[in-house]
Amino acid sequence: MSPIPHGTNRLLIDMPSWLGDCIMATPVLRAARTAIPEARIVGLVRPGLDRLLAGCPFVDEWIALDPRGVAGVWRRAKVIRAVRPDAALLLPNSFRAALALRLSGTRIRAGYARDARGFLLTHGLAFDKRRERPIATLEYYLRLAKWSLGVESIDPALHLAVSEEDRAAAASTLRGVTGPFVVLNPGGNKPGKRWPAEQFAVVGRALSARHGVRVVVNGSPGEREIVRDVCAGVPDSINLVERGVTLGALKGVIERALLVITNDTGPRHIAAALGTPLVTLFGPTDPRWTTLPGIRERIITADPFLPEELVADDVPERCAIGRIPASDVIHAAEAIMGQVTAGEGRGRPLSKTRGASEKGGGEAS
């Protein structure tokens, strides 16, 4: 019998905190709805991510909660208790999240038994991170879902919904853009993951001059200066930060884009979920951590000849993201643009290109 019975009436799924991880967890939501079709499924997310996941057909209710602060654990436990779930599936790895679940009094608490938190769960799946390097985050979530829900296979396709409201917000944000456009996403949560702004500008200028596409530059409010630097180097580009883009509008923008060129950060996963072609740049973060099966993407690594037994995270100097030449990115972008405009469609996997790496590209199920 699976830890979460198929007769469960109320299921709470505690979602990851990072935007990209949250999107990579959407196959778990689909699996839960398929396994327990009559259950009321409630998703617990960080504020803002409820807007990102709005319209998801697998969840009945989203609860947005900021768990930070001294009282964060108690506040989280109180919110969970009010849901009165029969069972809860814990996706975050944090001890605090497991503690809040225990304090909530939820009868069935399933998650990974790691980082000394196994005693807080009623059902813990063993995980030795020293022997599991690297494992794709998507596969990591699917393993937990298969075990906890008692299913043998799960569709690994990511899911995001774009509403008409999102599309209207995107149209307003993209005012003045009438033809095809490419999105550049130069930000990232760590400086080491950010390809230089001037290199993004080189790529933007080349694609604009050679192919007549408009360049749209995205970033979070905290990445305002990076976005401004890229826009300064690309004539007639659009600065989405200055236009106040929201997550909902960003979904609509990326849905319409010809191509997204990005560092390994959240908007990559938005594009992947929406079937928009991608060129993704990896520095000292191994791409095998975030393998996404079945999507249209060219991965470019700082060291495409890194031996399989090495992990990019462990050799940051060798895998410094600034080592990626702009010419490789332009080549990859033009290859994708040529295939899209030739009518090959979106959302299909791509073959390897010069300077590109497809490590860990096997399909998870």
Side-chain angles (χ1 to χ4, degrees), residues 51-52 54 161-171 246-253:
R51 186 69 193 87
L52 174 75
V162 183
S163 67
E164 290 308 311
E165 180 184 354
D166 295 332
R167 294 187 177 103
T246 63
L247 273 178
L250 182 60
K251 287 193 293 182
V253 168

Side-chain angles (χ1 to χ4, degrees), residues 57-239:
F58 316 124
V59 174
D60 297 295
E61 179 186 1
W62 292 108
I63 298 177
L65 175 69
D66 188 346
R68 295 174 297 182
V70 176
V73 170
W74 291 103
R75 187 165 59 249
R76 192 185 192 106
K78 182 178 179 180
V79 167
I80 295 172
R81 189 180 303 116
V83 174
R84 294 182 291 114
D86 302 308
L89 178 57
L90 182 64
L91 297 182
N93 292 323
S94 78
F95 184 93
R96 285 166 58 92
L99 177 58
L101 198 56
R102 173 66 182 85
L103 292 173
S104 74
T106 302
R107 185 171 59 87
I108 297 174
R109 306 180 299 278
Y112 276 112
R114 53 174 294 171
D115 302 322
R117 69 179 197 172
F119 73 98
L120 297 170
L121 305 172
T122 59
H123 300 76
L125 179 61
F127 180 81
D128 185 350
K129 59 185 177 182
R130 295 170 299 180
R131 301 181 62 181
E132 293 280 4
R133 300 187 69 209
I135 176 176
T137 301
L138 175 58
E139 172 61 23
Y140 179 75
Y141 293 147
L142 294 185
R143 281 189 191 180
L144 180 62
K146 289 177 185 178
W147 168 78
S148 62
L149 296 169
V151 297
E152 293 185 0
S153 64
I154 295 176
D155 180 357
L158 308 183
H159 178 89
L160 281 181
V162 183
S163 67
E164 290 308 311
E165 180 184 354
D166 295 332
R167 294 187 177 103
S172 176
T173 303
L174 291 171
R175 58 192 178 276
V177 179
T178 56
F181 64 91
V182 170
V183 173
L184 305 183
N185 191 74
N189 64 324
K190 297 178 181 179
K193 296 176 72 170
R194 301 173 193 155
W195 199 45
E198 59 270 22
Q199 294 288 73
F200 269 103
V202 169
V203 172
R205 286 197 302 272
L207 297 182
S208 177
R210 297 179 189 180
H211 303 281
V213 294
R214 197 78 176 270
V215 173
V216 173
V217 188
N218 176 63
S220 69
E223 296 162 350
R224 186 178 301 273
E225 289 188 13
I226 299 172
V227 173
R228 187 181 297 129
D229 288 345
V230 176
C231 287
V234 184
D236 204 29
S237 56
I238 301 294
N239 184 327

Side-chain angles (χ1 to χ4, degrees), residues 314-347:
D314 297 334
V315 283
E317 294 83 9
R318 177 171 178 172
C319 294
I321 197 166
R323 296 184 59 187
I324 297 175
S327 58
D328 280 4
V329 180
I330 295 169
H331 178 84
E334 290 182 327
I336 291 181
M337 291 168 62
Q339 292 180 346
V340 172
T341 55
E344 293 187 19
R346 292 160 58 152

Side-chain angles (χ1 to χ4, degrees), residues 212-345:
V213 294
R214 197 78 176 270
V215 173
V216 173
V217 188
N218 176 63
S220 69
E223 296 162 350
R224 186 178 301 273
E225 289 188 13
I226 299 172
V227 173
R228 187 181 297 129
D229 288 345
V230 176
C231 287
V234 184
D236 204 29
S237 56
I238 301 294
N239 184 327
L240 292 186
V241 179
E242 289 186 354
R243 293 195 174 191
V245 67
T246 63
L247 273 178
L250 182 60
K251 287 193 293 182
V253 168
I254 289 177
E255 181 187 47
R256 286 177 51 183
L258 182 66
L259 170 70
V260 174
I261 303 174
T262 180
N263 299 319
D264 176 32
T265 187
R268 174 203 178 204
H269 301 86
I270 295 177
L274 297 178
T276 301
L278 281 158
V279 173
T280 306
L281 315 178
F282 282 86
T285 304
D286 201 296
R288 290 173 291 183
W289 293 118
T290 53
T291 298
L292 301 175
I295 68 168
R296 188 162 205 156
E297 177 179 51
R298 297 217 182 221
I299 288 176
I300 303 180
T301 59
D303 185 353
F305 304 107
L306 189 71
E308 191 77 14
E309 65 272 14
L310 293 182
V311 178
D313 308 58
D314 297 334
V315 283
E317 294 83 9
R318 177 171 178 172
C319 294
I321 197 166
R323 296 184 59 187
I324 297 175
S327 58
D328 280 4
V329 180
I330 295 169
H331 178 84
E334 290 182 327
I336 291 181
M337 291 168 62
Q339 292 180 346
V340 172
T341 55
E344 293 187 19

